[in-house]
Amino acid sequence: MEPGREHPFPSACGGPLPTGTARPDASARPSRPLLHLLVFGTLSVLMVCISVLIWTVSHACAQQNIPHLLSLVQAQTRDEEPLLPFSDYEKGLDEATHKANIAYINGHPELVRSIQKDLGSNDLEWKLDSFRSRLLFVPERNREYALAFENYCRGVIEFVLQKTNLANPYDKIETLQREKPEIPDQGMTVFLVRNLAEEHLGRYVFSDRARKSVAIELSCNDFTGVLGSYTTNLCIREDGRFEFEANHYMVWQTSAKNPYTLLTVPVEETLHLALRPYTQEAIRKQIHKEGVRDIKGAKRVVQEWMEVEEAVVGGLVRAFVPLYLEGQISPALIQQDVSSKAGLQAYKLLERGVDLTRSIGCEKLIEIYARDPEAVRQTLAGA
């Protein structure tokens, strides 16, 4: 069965509302809007100085290698095997996949008839016995390309940090080859993979009136189409308090239909990491001001601020990436990237963010957002 949707993983914390940012690949199969909010906020961002993290190449050297990198990118394919486990299974229901499973069962009457025959009864009851999910990945096996892409990531990140005077948040950027890597509990590690998928397993039990039962398990491997993302969870504690919990890793894909989209990922995610503490504080203030007490209200607040942060980051990305590439990327590819976001709710303010960045400059925009995110929000709303 292949439901063909992108689904967020359930959170381990109580009363979760996943929040965050994601970089979608327009070539992927349609997915739900980014409103399951892969999100905002490093709770305690470890600001590591560039001098502590030793880059293997300078951004000037990486720039010189861009034509070679582009030729390698365009030769890449979106391989769907071998699929290796990135993480262990986590319990928790994914509503969209569960609904797709039920539709699959209803659409295959021969399966139901087989179960009825096994139980010797046409009068059956069913229940969802368990549901679990995990991340899977396809490793990047092309060593030449893996090295070139790692060098590009380091080079373009260094370029952006120098332009913005931002601290370097990364402890490590590595091309992942082994299954179930050790997940750090502090700092920030980036894992580079060829492709990323989510595996969902649902176990359904059918029983008759005599309580005889038959169990079936439905599996779905769903390629996410998200090139890069950083996830935290906004949790509602038992006492009603909202708290953010952050991951200390990101997964970036090394293949995409549009090379320009792929090359924006390191810049976009670095800027999200830098700006999230300010977005997160703005979310807290609005939740407190409005007296929000439930997930529905919190989700609305998070969505509103996600749109603002995407606009700010998107404006900065549109300024920095073409500057770094120095005309070595086709304008048509940039326009394809722009068109792929048109109409998506998460990017509704993006072009206003681009205009604002051009109007006041990158450093000024970051300075204002750090000091007063609400002022930027109001400017974008009134633009």
Side-chain angles (χ1 to χ4, degrees):
M1 180 182 66
E2 177 126 5
R5 293 190 179 93
E6 173 195 342
H7 311 301
F9 268 18
S11 167
C13 60
L17 171 62
T19 59
T21 58
R23 185 63 165 157
D25 178 13
S27 67
R29 67 187 76 170
S31 62
R32 291 177 289 173
L34 297 178
L35 200 141
H36 49 242
L37 312 175
L38 286 168
V39 108
F40 299 117
T42 306
L43 303 186
S44 54
V45 178
L46 180 62
M47 307 307 278
V48 183
C49 296
I50 295 178
S51 60
V52 177
L53 184 58
I54 302 176
W55 296 119
T56 59
V57 292
S58 68
H59 69 77
C61 178
Q63 282 176 301
Q64 294 173 2
N65 293 326
I66 286 174
H68 179 57
L69 174 64
L70 286 173
S71 67
L72 292 173
V73 171
Q74 291 167 337
Q76 294 296 94
T77 58
R78 300 301 297 278
D79 295 351
E80 297 189 355
E81 57 181 26
L83 273 173
L84 304 180
F86 179 86
S87 58
D88 291 324
Y89 288 105
E90 293 184 4
K91 294 181 180 179
L93 178 64
D94 182 86
E95 292 284 356
T97 303
H98 173 57
K99 290 179 180 178
N101 286 347
I102 299 306
Y104 176 85
I105 293 171
N106 290 335
H108 290 76
E110 69 279 4
L111 173 61
V112 177
R113 286 194 295 269
S114 176
I115 295 172
Q116 290 171 335
K117 182 178 179 181
D118 288 342
L119 293 177
S121 172
N122 293 332
D123 189 9
L124 302 181
E125 296 179 349
W126 69 271
K127 68 175 182 178
L128 174 62
D129 183 63
S130 65
F131 200 99
R132 52 194 178 134
S133 304
R134 67 175 177 176
L135 279 175
L136 306 173
F137 73 97
V138 178
E140 178 54 68
R141 298 301 197 192
N142 185 327
R143 293 187 178 183
E144 179 187 13
Y145 176 61
L147 178 60
F149 193 74
E150 279 189 28
N151 288 345
Y152 168 78
C153 290
R154 294 187 175 102
V156 74
I157 289 169
E158 182 182 350
F159 174 79
V160 170
L161 297 180
Q162 289 181 359
K163 290 289 185 182
T164 59
N165 293 315
L166 294 171
N168 191 334
Y170 302 110
D171 294 298
K172 184 191 297 185
I173 297 176
E174 68 167 283
T175 302
L176 186 61
Q177 300 292 340
R178 66 194 185 282
E179 63 182 50
K180 294 185 180 180
E182 182 178 352
I183 302 300
D185 57 8
Q186 61 182 354
M188 178 55 61
T189 294
V190 175
F191 298 108
L192 303 177
V193 303
R194 172 68 70 89
N195 212 338
L196 190 67
E198 292 173 352
E199 180 184 31
H200 303 287
L201 295 177
R203 188 173 189 270
Y204 300 84
V205 176
F206 295 80
S207 58
D208 61 13
R209 292 185 180 276
R211 312 317 297 173
K212 292 187 298 181
S213 64
V214 170
I216 64 171
E217 191 168 74
L218 298 180
S219 173
C220 167
N221 290 343
D222 190 9
F223 287 88
T224 68
V226 176
L227 297 181
S229 67
Y230 174 62
T231 303
T232 63
N233 290 296
L234 178 60
C235 303
I236 305 179
R237 299 304 184 191
E238 291 183 359
D239 60 4
R241 291 182 298 112
F242 287 91
E243 291 184 1
F244 287 91
E245 292 186 352
N247 285 343
H248 294 281
Y249 73 92
M250 290 190 285
V251 181
W252 299 349
Q253 294 190 37
T254 62
S255 61
K257 182 177 181 180
N258 186 333
Y260 173 78
T261 304
L262 183 68
L263 298 182
T264 63
V265 171
V267 177
E268 175 157 355
E269 298 311 316
T270 298
L271 292 168
H272 278 305
L273 278 171
L275 298 183
R276 252 166 232 158
Y278 314 120
T279 307
Q280 185 174 285
E281 183 59 26
I283 291 172
R284 283 197 184 99
K285 287 182 178 179
Q286 185 171 340
I287 285 176
H288 177 74
K289 181 180 179 180
E290 297 183 2
V292 174
R293 291 289 183 268
D294 57 14
I295 289 180
K296 182 178 179 180
K299 183 176 181 179
R300 173 184 54 79
V301 173
V302 169
Q303 178 186 343
E304 291 172 1
W305 278 104
M306 177 173 129
E307 292 165 3
V308 173
E309 187 180 279
E310 288 289 2
V312 173
V313 169
L316 296 169
V317 168
R318 197 84 63 83
F320 286 134
V321 177
L323 180 63
Y324 183 77
L325 296 178
E326 295 183 330
Q328 299 181 78
I329 195 80
S330 167
L333 293 177
I334 299 177
Q335 185 55 48
Q336 287 176 19
D337 180 77
V338 173
S339 299
S340 72
K341 299 177 182 64
L344 294 179
Q345 180 69 26
Y347 297 107
K348 63 179 288 187
L349 300 175
L350 176 56
E351 294 308 313
R352 295 183 182 186
V354 172
D355 292 341
L356 181 59
T357 305
R358 290 171 178 166
S359 175
I360 67 176
C362 297
E363 289 188 64
K364 188 66 174 179
L365 177 57
I366 293 173
E367 175 190 335
I368 296 174
Y369 195 77
R371 185 179 69 250
D372 190 356
E374 180 61 30
V376 175
R377 178 186 185 182
Q378 292 179 9
T379 300
L380 291 171

